Amino acid sequence: MGLFDCFGAFDYCTHETSAQTHEIPTKNVRLFSYYSLRSATRLFHPSNRIGRGGFGVVYKGVLRDETQVAIKALSAGSKQGIKEFLTELATISKIRHPNLVQLLGCCVEGDHRILVYEYMENNSLHTALLGSYSKRAELDWSKRAAICLGTAKGLAFLHEDAEPGIVHRDIKASNVLLDEDFLPKIGDFGLAKLFPDNVTHVSTRVAGTVGYLAPEYALLGQLTKKADVYSFGVLILEITSGRSSSKAVFGEELYVLLEWTWKLFKEGRLLDVVDPDLVDYTEDQITRFMKVALFCTQAASQQRPDMKQVVKMLSTDVTLNEKLLTEPGLFRPKSSSKSEGDSFRFSSHSDKGKECVTQPTTPTNLEHSTTDMIPR
């Protein structure tokens, strides 16, 4: 039996899947045999490897009907049994939105846990924008603005409209995938519930994505929607600047991207952040996008807008109330030494080097107007 024959409901490929899955209702989750996925990836050949994340390695695969798919071999063992695992996947597979990567099916044979997704022709935003020059795509401002807005819409859907609502936990450039028209789609949503807390790189190697992590999440473990909002704000700055939040440093003080943006904002030089490769853009629009990023990355989580507000601020020509904008927060390793690699301090531009946590404040209730957008 080939892969095409197995690409359907459980009943059509029972004899090629583990006997343990017998009589488990799969609803929207299509089951693939391990043999068929090995064939689709040419035995998971390294040449078909297209990415790696906290949950596993991703390979390009081709089905019997020539449909291209992305096959993610999960690297960590699930804490759940097969029934519970499939139940979670059934929930994820029902979540549909134009800006979310669609889960097509899975394999649950023996110790194998493999997910099958729709294939995205232009890989990840990280590759297209921040990767090696040979792999980068030509992303003009119109494409970048559309990527910002589409990603915001996908995240707003996860937070407010998905049932149940989902906090992504790892919004970053490598988890925003691009289709053939550079339409952005968020990947890896909902997967955190499939694994113990100590098996993803978010919890064991915070330094790996420290540039995206909200202070209250990295320091205190407070995981809310506003942690995703913070990460999205950092992502906007990467898209507008063409620079990595975790690698690029600026000035004699070696500011990271968020610190540098805040400094230039206070000096009235925000346009200096813009990627020099961008030559055709509207200054008011790109400036508004960067200010939205600063609203999203404020140290106190209560001061950040929700994602539906973010969508409105990005999609309409509003004037932002900058008087409400407060300083961003971020983490830096105390030391680069291995022994202190998991130790972080909260810092900001004005308090660089001090160990502190900004106490959340409650934003003042102020009215909106048609021209004055007040994130709160």
Side-chain angles (χ1 to χ4, degrees), residues 99-120:
N99 298 113
L100 300 177
V101 177
Q102 184 180 347
L103 175 67
L104 301 178
C106 69
C107 170
V108 289
E109 289 185 24
D111 294 330
H112 299 296
R113 299 290 184 271
I114 303 173
L115 305 181
V116 181
Y117 290 99
E118 62 176 319
Y119 180 72
M120 305 295 283

Side-chain angles (χ1 to χ4, degrees), residues 84-199:
E84 291 78 11
F85 185 86
L86 290 175
T87 299
E88 290 291 352
L89 290 186
T91 300
I92 295 172
S93 69
K94 289 187 292 186
I95 298 175
R96 302 291 179 88
H97 186 273
N99 298 113
L100 300 177
V101 177
Q102 184 180 347
L103 175 67
L104 301 178
C106 69
C107 170
V108 289
E109 289 185 24
D111 294 330
H112 299 296
R113 299 290 184 271
I114 303 173
L115 305 181
V116 181
Y117 290 99
E118 62 176 319
Y119 180 72
M120 305 295 283
E121 290 82 354
N122 282 303
N123 208 293
S124 72
L125 175 60
H126 183 275
T127 299
L129 180 69
L130 305 172
S132 62
Y133 284 101
S134 62
K135 295 183 179 180
R136 290 186 186 182
E138 292 187 12
L139 296 176
D140 59 19
W141 173 241
S142 64
K143 286 190 177 73
R144 297 192 198 194
I147 289 170
C148 287
L149 181 57
T151 304
K153 289 179 177 179
L155 193 52
F157 181 86
L158 287 177
H159 285 183
E160 308 299 336
D161 298 319
E163 290 292 340
I166 291 177
V167 178
H168 189 285
R169 302 176 65 164
D170 201 16
I171 291 294
K172 58 184 179 180
S174 58
N175 276 336
V176 176
L177 306 180
L178 305 173
D179 72 5
E180 60 181 346
D181 298 316
F182 292 96
L183 175 74
K185 298 194 179 190
I186 299 172
D188 275 7
F189 60 90
L191 295 192
K193 294 181 67 176
L194 300 176
F195 300 99
D197 290 337
N198 65 342
V199 299

Side-chain angles (χ1 to χ4, degrees), residues 92-329:
I92 295 172
S93 69
K94 289 187 292 186
I95 298 175
R96 302 291 179 88
H97 186 273
N99 298 113
L100 300 177
V101 177
Q102 184 180 347
L103 175 67
L104 301 178
C106 69
C107 170
V108 289
E109 289 185 24
D111 294 330
H112 299 296
R113 299 290 184 271
I114 303 173
L115 305 181
V116 181
Y117 290 99
E118 62 176 319
Y119 180 72
M120 305 295 283
E121 290 82 354
N122 282 303
N123 208 293
S124 72
L125 175 60
H126 183 275
T127 299
L129 180 69
L130 305 172
S132 62
Y133 284 101
S134 62
K135 295 183 179 180
R136 290 186 186 182
E138 292 187 12
L139 296 176
D140 59 19
W141 173 241
S142 64
K143 286 190 177 73
R144 297 192 198 194
I147 289 170
C148 287
L149 181 57
T151 304
K153 289 179 177 179
L155 193 52
F157 181 86
L158 287 177
H159 285 183
E160 308 299 336
D161 298 319
E163 290 292 340
I166 291 177
V167 178
H168 189 285
R169 302 176 65 164
D170 201 16
I171 291 294
K172 58 184 179 180
S174 58
N175 276 336
V176 176
L177 306 180
L178 305 173
D179 72 5
E180 60 181 346
D181 298 316
F182 292 96
L183 175 74
K185 298 194 179 190
I186 299 172
D188 275 7
F189 60 90
L191 295 192
K193 294 181 67 176
L194 300 176
F195 300 99
D197 290 337
N198 65 342
V199 299
T200 69
H201 71 289
V202 173
S203 58
T204 61
R205 290 180 58 83
V206 175
T209 50
V210 64
Y212 293 96
L213 290 178
E216 74 279 1
Y217 179 30
L219 182 65
L220 305 175
Q222 296 176 353
L223 178 61
T224 68
K225 297 173 184 176
K226 294 302 180 73
D228 279 351
V229 173
Y230 180 98
S231 301
F232 177 73
V234 174
L235 184 65
I236 292 178
L237 294 182
E238 290 187 323
I239 293 171
T240 53
S241 70
R243 299 176 175 92
S244 168
S245 62
S246 60
K247 294 180 180 179
V249 291
F250 306 86
E252 294 180 359
E253 297 294 330
L254 300 181
Y255 291 112
V256 296
L257 180 58
L258 178 55
E259 290 176 300
W260 183 246
T261 303
W262 176 257
K263 179 179 186 295
L264 295 181
F265 166 72
K266 297 298 287 184
E267 295 175 357
R269 298 192 294 131
L270 198 52
L271 285 174
D272 288 358
V273 179
V274 176
D275 188 344
D277 288 341
L278 289 176
V279 294
D280 186 16
Y281 57 86
T282 303
E283 290 187 1
D284 288 346
Q285 184 186 41
I286 203 168
T287 298
R288 186 176 81 249
F289 274 50
M290 289 187 286
K291 289 177 181 177
V292 171
L294 291 176
F295 272 110
C296 290
T297 53
Q298 295 176 100
S301 61
Q302 288 90 337
Q303 297 294 100
R304 302 170 201 154
D306 60 42
M307 285 308 303
K308 285 195 172 182
Q309 287 179 306
V310 171
V311 170
K312 183 176 181 180
M313 290 189 286
L314 293 177
S315 60
T316 57
D317 187 15
V318 296
T319 299
L320 302 178
N321 188 344
E322 297 175 18
K323 294 179 180 179
L324 295 182
L325 188 56
T326 59
E327 199 165 6

